[in-house]
């Protein structure tokens, strides 16, 4: 689990592509402190497992399912990426609970300067929009952000200067893709309701 509070921006050093997936090497500094093989690192919001590491680099495998759902398939050498280590029981939870399991990619369709803030309107698959509500939390490339507006095809977030400096969203332009993780609790509630409805239907058929 993660908090969605990005610890640092890392850099892609190497990418090895094959039919089996990607092997990625990332340069970082802060998250390398006390790192161990098998640790979980959120890379643009995708939970990856540390396979190898050195003083300021770590390697991880990226399976095809992850590539299909996320923007990791669009990465290039020297690209900046958002990084966060998994939380511990004594971690400060300043964002929200993030699993690192990306639902889909979203496409930036509008960028608006609003005072010292910047608004980003992001379009995504309609089947995931039902989990997004105004003033709810959303994870964009691993960063925990607040939804300030939503429509039947998109949602909008706004980031302050501190956030602009510390996450890669401020480097994005219209047409770029970002990783989206929606609210896990909303998905569990939906599943429980569906199962309950099926149980009630079965019960009614008996009478």
């Amino acid at each position: 689990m993660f908090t969605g509070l990005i610890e640092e921006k890392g850099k892609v050093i190497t990418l090895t592509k094959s039919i089996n997936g990607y092997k990625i090497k990332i340069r970082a500094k802060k998250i390398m402190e006390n790192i161990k093989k098998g640790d979980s690192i959120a890379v643009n919001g995708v939970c990856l497992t540390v396979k190898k590491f050195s003083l300021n680099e770590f390697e991880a495998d990226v399976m095809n399912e992850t590539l299909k759902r996320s923007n990791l398939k669009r990465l290039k050498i020297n690209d900046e990426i958002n990084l966060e280590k998994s939380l511990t029981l004594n971690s400060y939870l300043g964002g929200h609970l993030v699993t690192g399991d990306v639902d889909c990619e979203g496409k930036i369709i509008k960028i608006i300067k609003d005072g010292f803030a910047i608004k980003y309107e992001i379009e995504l698959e309609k089947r995931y929009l039902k989990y997004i509500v105004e003033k709810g939390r959303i994870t964009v490339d691993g960063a925990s952000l607040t939804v300030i507006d939503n429509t039947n095809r998109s949602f909008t977030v706004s980031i302050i200067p501190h956030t602009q400096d510390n996450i890669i969203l401020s480097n994005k332009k219209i047409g770029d893709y970002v990783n989206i993780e929606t609210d896990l609790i909303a998905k569990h509630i939906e599943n429980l309701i569906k199962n309950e409805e099926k149980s009630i239907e079965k019960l009614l058929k008996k009478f």
Side-chain angles (χ1 to χ4, degrees):
M1 298 292 288
F2 306 90
T3 67
L5 297 181
I6 303 304
E7 295 182 66
E8 69 174 308
K9 291 186 282 189
K11 184 173 287 188
V12 177
I13 302 303
T14 62
L15 280 170
T16 306
K17 305 176 184 180
S18 73
I19 59 171
N20 298 314
Y22 278 17
K23 294 183 185 298
I24 186 171
K25 181 185 286 187
I26 295 167
R27 180 168 295 152
K29 184 178 181 181
K30 186 175 180 180
I31 66 161
M32 301 305 295
E33 297 174 8
N34 301 316
I35 196 171
K36 303 185 301 297
K37 184 178 179 180
D39 279 356
S40 295
I41 307 289
V43 178
N44 279 2
V46 177
C47 180
L48 298 183
T49 302
V50 175
K51 183 179 180 182
K52 297 179 183 177
F53 66 93
S54 58
L55 183 63
N56 61 353
E57 296 175 352
F58 72 92
E59 296 181 31
D61 293 327
V62 186
M63 62 183 177
N64 288 328
E65 169 65 14
T66 302
L67 293 173
K68 182 174 71 174
R69 286 180 178 260
S70 75
N71 65 10
L72 297 192
K73 60 181 170 288
R74 302 178 191 276
L75 290 177
K76 303 182 294 297
I77 304 301
N78 292 322
D79 275 356
E80 283 192 317
I81 46 184
N82 289 333
L83 298 174
E84 181 193 355
K85 291 183 76 170
S86 57
L87 61 84
T88 62
L89 290 178
N90 64 347
S91 297
Y92 174 65
L93 185 58
H96 72 288
L97 289 176
V98 176
T99 66
D101 298 319
V102 168
D103 289 309
C104 65
E105 290 184 280
K107 184 178 181 180
I108 298 172
I109 58 174
K110 191 178 294 183
I111 301 174
I112 302 171
K113 184 75 173 174
D114 183 20
F116 54 68
I118 302 176
K119 291 181 180 179
Y120 294 83
E121 185 176 351
I122 300 169
E123 183 182 53
L124 73 160
E125 294 179 50
K126 286 187 177 181
R127 62 179 173 142
Y128 294 112
L129 285 166
K130 58 186 174 182
Y131 306 122
I132 299 172
V133 295
E134 184 180 342
K135 299 305 177 183
R137 305 299 287 184
I138 190 77
T139 310
V140 179
D141 274 343
S144 174
L145 301 174
T146 301
V147 177
I148 63 171
D149 192 19
N150 62 307
T151 70
N152 61 1
R153 65 186 285 257
S154 66
F155 68 92
T156 301
V157 294
S158 182
I159 59 175
I160 60 175
H162 174 78
T163 308
Q164 294 166 26
D165 292 338
N166 288 280
I167 68 174
I168 62 171
L169 185 57
S170 57
N171 300 332
K172 302 278 187 176
K173 59 185 184 299
I174 292 174
D176 283 348
Y177 290 86
V178 292
N179 290 333
I180 301 297
E181 181 186 329
T182 57
D183 186 12
L184 178 66
I185 296 174
K187 287 182 279 190
H188 276 305
I189 292 173
E190 179 188 47
N191 190 57
L192 286 170
I193 291 172
K194 283 182 178 179
N195 289 334
E196 187 67 23
E197 287 175 346
K198 289 178 182 178
S199 298
I200 293 172
E201 286 177 5
K202 287 181 181 179
L203 182 64
L204 289 174
K205 286 179 179 178
K206 291 181 181 180
F207 293 94

